[in-house]
Amino acid sequence: MPGPRAVAELLVHAPGRVEVLWLDRRREGTELHEQAKAANVAVELVEGRELARRGPELDCQGVLVRARPPAYHDLEDLVDAVLEAPAEAGRRTLLALDGVQDPQNLGAIIRTSEFFGVRGLVWPRDRAVSVTPAVVRASAGASERLSLSRVVNLARALETCRDRGLWVLGTVAEGGEPLPRLLAEDRVPDPLVVVMGGEHGGLRRLTRARCDLLATIPGRGGVASLNVAAATSAVLALLG
């Protein structure tokens, strides 16, 4: 895992996952170095070229860790967190992804979701990216704050959410109702699962069939649609 910001979040939220922190010698005595020592994390001071050798494709900015994978949550735990959240805290929302494969997109979506107070992120194990170092870096460490759940079957997971009392809002490029209109007419229920489609095919047929509502983001320019990370930002901003 590269980068000072992502590593700092890891040291705060899950220091037990860190096996070793490699730090450029020029960062000795920095706040991050002291934070690692306070968390009883093993630190090795190395030359910059050694960091480049250990992470040849990573822009680590003088900071690199070897860490165990994050612990994923059960879907039921995320649903419980949504249902138990106080209504005055704002709209109670989970986000589901249907086949996002690009690490940069997943990282950006995790960061956006945490920023807007989403209670958790759900996505399938197959044909979708996992939480890689590139994802963690793109999330700016938000992957350590947001509850994450990977499921065997997304359509079945959405059925579970519906059975527990959550509504499912799918987002589509065409064929849905404009999201601002749904909000203006107070037709977006709570609690809610928002489903975003993958980069290439959008929502799959079985996923779409589990949605209670389908919404689009109306555009004013000549571009037909947004990529999934940008679309997620727009949807969560509108939902508030």
Side-chain angles (χ1 to χ4, degrees):
M1 179 187 300
R5 186 166 182 177
V7 171
E9 291 288 343
L10 182 61
L11 291 173
V12 169
H13 297 284
R17 289 209 291 116
V18 180
E19 295 177 348
V20 60
L21 166 62
W22 294 294
L23 206 60
D24 190 305
R25 291 188 184 279
R26 292 172 293 182
R27 286 184 173 271
E28 184 177 8
T30 62
E31 182 178 351
L32 187 66
H33 188 192
E34 296 303 318
Q35 183 183 356
K37 290 194 296 183
N40 294 318
V41 167
V43 179
E44 293 184 14
L45 299 173
V46 298
E47 301 295 335
R49 61 180 177 272
E50 175 64 14
L51 286 175
R53 186 187 69 80
R54 291 180 182 274
E57 298 180 357
L58 302 173
D59 178 18
C60 60
Q61 300 178 27
V63 180
L64 186 66
V65 300
R66 184 176 67 226
R68 288 180 288 276
Y72 292 109
H73 295 258
D74 289 337
L75 175 64
E76 292 284 357
D77 292 338
L78 269 61
V79 174
D80 287 342
V82 168
L83 295 176
E84 293 169 3
E88 59 270 19
R91 190 182 300 277
R92 298 171 295 171
T93 305
L94 289 180
L95 184 71
L97 304 178
D98 190 14
V100 170
Q101 298 179 354
D102 183 271
Q104 298 300 315
N105 279 339
L106 179 58
I109 288 167
I110 290 173
R111 183 175 184 176
T112 298
S113 299
E114 202 283 329
F115 178 83
F116 282 109
V118 170
R119 302 289 170 174
L121 179 63
V122 182
W123 77 105
R125 295 176 188 170
D126 295 333
R127 295 189 293 276
V129 67
S130 61
V131 178
T132 65
V135 169
V136 174
R137 177 68 181 275
S139 80
S143 57
E144 301 304 323
R145 294 174 176 264
L146 185 67
S147 296
L148 308 174
S149 179
R150 299 194 73 189
V151 296
V152 174
N153 185 298
L154 183 61
R156 193 176 303 132
L158 295 177
E159 285 284 2
T160 297
C161 291
R162 293 175 72 184
D163 290 343
R164 294 286 309 278
L166 278 67
W167 295 79
V168 181
L169 172 69
T171 60
V172 291
E174 297 178 349
E177 295 190 69
L179 182 56
R181 182 198 300 166
L182 289 172
L183 289 165
E185 296 175 357
D186 196 24
R187 290 196 288 135
V188 178
D190 177 70
L192 186 67
V193 183
V194 177
V195 192
M196 308 298 300
E199 292 93 348
H200 306 296
L203 297 184
R204 290 176 292 178
R205 178 181 60 84
L206 291 178
T207 303
R208 189 169 177 142
R210 269 52 175 197
C211 296
D212 300 298
L213 294 167
L214 293 175
T216 60
I217 307 169
R220 297 176 182 172
V223 176
S225 63
L226 299 171
N227 86 344
V228 63
T232 300
S233 297
V235 168
L236 294 181
L238 286 169
L239 290 173

